[in-house]
Structures are given as C-alpha cells and as structure tokens.
Amino acid sequence: GAVVSQHPSWVICKSGTSVKIECRSLDFQATTMFWYRQFPKQSLMLMATSNEGSKATYEQGVEKDKFLINHASLTLSTLTVTSAHPEDSSFYICSARDGGQEIYEQYFGPGTRLTVT
Amino acid sequence: AQSVTQLDSQVPVFEEAPVELRCNYSSSVSVYLFWYVQYPNQGLQLLLKYLSGSTLVKGINGFEAEFNKSQTSFHLRKPSVHISDTAEYFCAVSEGYSTLTFGKGTMLLVSP
C-alpha cells in the first residue's frame, strides 16, 4: 500500500517551453502533497505544499508563477514548469500524506528527471 | 526552526562490516524522526521512523536507529552491510504536522 507514482519519469524539453509533471497516489487519498527539487549530490529542497482544492503554499524563493501546482483531486497533483530554462534542469520528487493514516509520514514518488536544452 | 545535520557526506565500508550513519537534529519541540534511502535516479524509500515509545527503532533491510533525546541524535546502524546497501541515506525531522526537513545526505559505499 501507500504507493505514489510520477509521470513522466524523465523528460527533455527545449528552453522556453512548458512541461507538466503528474504525481498520483495510487491506493490512498492524499489530502496533502509536496513537491521537492533535488540537484545532483544534494538533499531535497521543499518547493511547495498543496492541499486538495486549495492554492499551494510555496517556500521562500520559489517562483509561484513559474512552478504552477494544481491539486485538483485527492489522488492527483501536477507541477507545471513554465517557460523552462536550463537552470530548471533537476530531479523533481513529489510526496503525499495519507489523509486516513498517520499524518506524520510522507510517501515519495520515484521522481522525474527534467532536462532543459 | 528545525534542522538536521548529517556529519558524514560519505562513508566507505567493506561488505559484511558494521556501519553507523550519524544524524543530529535541533528543534525546540518534540519531533518525529525518519531515515530514508535513495538509490540512483529513484525516489525515497522509508527505512524507519521514530514517533514515540521505544527509543530503539527497527526498520527494513536490517537497519535500526536509536533516538537519543539528550544528545539530540538519531544514528542509523546495521551490523553487517551488503553491496546492495550502497545508496544515499537521508535523515529527516518533522515537528508535529509540519513539513519534513532533510539532512544533506550520507553516501554509503560498500565494497567487496
């Protein structure tokens, strides 16, 4: 149980285009989802927290107009990187909290490798 | 504010040897502590967690960790490592319902 999927697992896009990453909780309802960014050989940095049906809360320094987060249902959150640039290339990981279980635990997706050329 | 310090960025060890990965945290309130493992190009997998109760926590793959409140530590141990344990290990802390704060990670390198 408690499986989180991400799609795509990797994506290459051209500079200036937008790319959408999906995060799905497969066997539970995720009341809260989180989006992280990880640079090579570094730790995870929280970008934003989203609750189903409400606007995401962004961490300081994260551009909300560039990284659009939508949590339209209890099983799906999307991260759209708009007007991508090479510096946006990174490993993006989502996680989710099960609304019906221990709320202290987050279940992580397998990550999406974004490369902007 | 909570923070996590993983003192070693890399720990080399021979197969079948014991290993300890160190983690210290700082927080002004009670915390919940986690260890995650990340294999290359993959997401995070939970190894173990401390929420309350016994300070010795056993996790998957033969790992265990001990919560020491006086030393604000949550070190991860395994008595005998395998080549397959080679991965990045992250310690994380959460204050109640708040978000997770991760350490910088420790790369465990197991060689034959």
Side-chain angles (χ1 to χ4, degrees):
Chain A
V3 179
V4 176
S5 70
Q6 280 184 244
H7 179 80
S9 56
W10 60 271
V11 58
I12 301 172
C13 70
K14 292 187 176 181
S15 186
T17 62
S18 296
V19 61
K20 179 184 287 188
I21 302 170
E22 292 186 349
C23 176
R24 293 182 184 272
S25 56
L26 300 184
D27 49 5
F28 65 97
Q29 292 187 327
T31 51
T32 304
M33 286 185 166
F34 306 86
W35 286 96
Y36 295 85
R37 185 173 180 176
Q38 185 181 31
F39 290 105
K41 299 188 183 300
Q42 294 190 26
S43 188
L44 281 73
M45 299 300 296
L46 179 66
M47 298 175 67
T49 303
S50 72
N51 293 295
E52 186 265 339
S54 61
K55 289 184 178 181
T57 301
Y58 291 81
E59 296 298 301
Q60 192 172 8
V62 177
E63 299 176 60
K64 61 180 181 181
D65 294 330
K66 180 171 186 61
F67 298 99
L68 301 179
I69 292 172
N70 186 301
H71 192 165
S73 76
L74 284 172
T75 59
L76 174 64
S77 176
T78 59
L79 168 67
T80 301
V81 183
T82 62
S83 187
H85 289 100
E87 57 265 31
D88 298 325
S89 298
S90 190
F91 194 51
Y92 292 87
I93 304 175
C94 73
S95 70
R97 273 197 182 134
D98 185 344
Q101 300 296 327
E102 295 177 11
I103 62 175
Y104 317 107
E105 187 166 349
Q106 295 181 26
Y107 302 99
F108 286 82
T112 297
R113 174 77 59 192
L114 170 63
T115 302
V116 184
T117 61
Chain B
Q2 59 201 32
S3 67
V4 178
T5 302
Q6 290 184 246
L7 298 168
D8 305 299
S9 59
Q10 190 168 298
V11 173
V13 64
F14 288 109
E15 194 175 19
E16 297 184 5
V19 70
E20 178 180 82
L21 305 183
R22 297 180 292 171
C23 172
N24 288 87
Y25 69 92
S26 66
S27 173
S28 57
V29 298
S30 296
V31 296
Y32 305 106
L33 295 157
F34 306 82
W35 274 101
Y36 290 89
V37 59
Q38 184 180 34
Y39 298 100
N41 295 310
Q42 294 187 29
L44 272 66
Q45 180 182 8
L46 180 67
L47 278 177
L48 47 80
K49 62 189 175 187
Y50 171 80
L51 302 181
S52 65
S54 173
T55 56
L56 183 62
V57 180
K58 293 189 182 298
I60 62 172
N61 300 341
F63 284 94
E64 64 180 32
E66 186 158 17
F67 170 57
N68 188 318
K69 188 174 182 179
S70 62
Q71 297 186 5
T72 60
S73 68
F74 190 55
H75 300 333
L76 180 70
R77 303 185 184 98
K78 186 170 182 177
S80 176
V81 295
H82 303 290
I83 296 286
S84 59
D85 292 324
T86 295
E88 189 84 27
Y89 292 80
F90 291 96
C91 181
V93 63
S94 174
E95 292 177 349
Y97 302 164
S98 72
T99 55
L100 281 172
T101 298
F102 287 89
K104 292 188 175 182
T106 297
M107 183 67 194
L108 176 62
L109 294 168
V110 183
S111 54

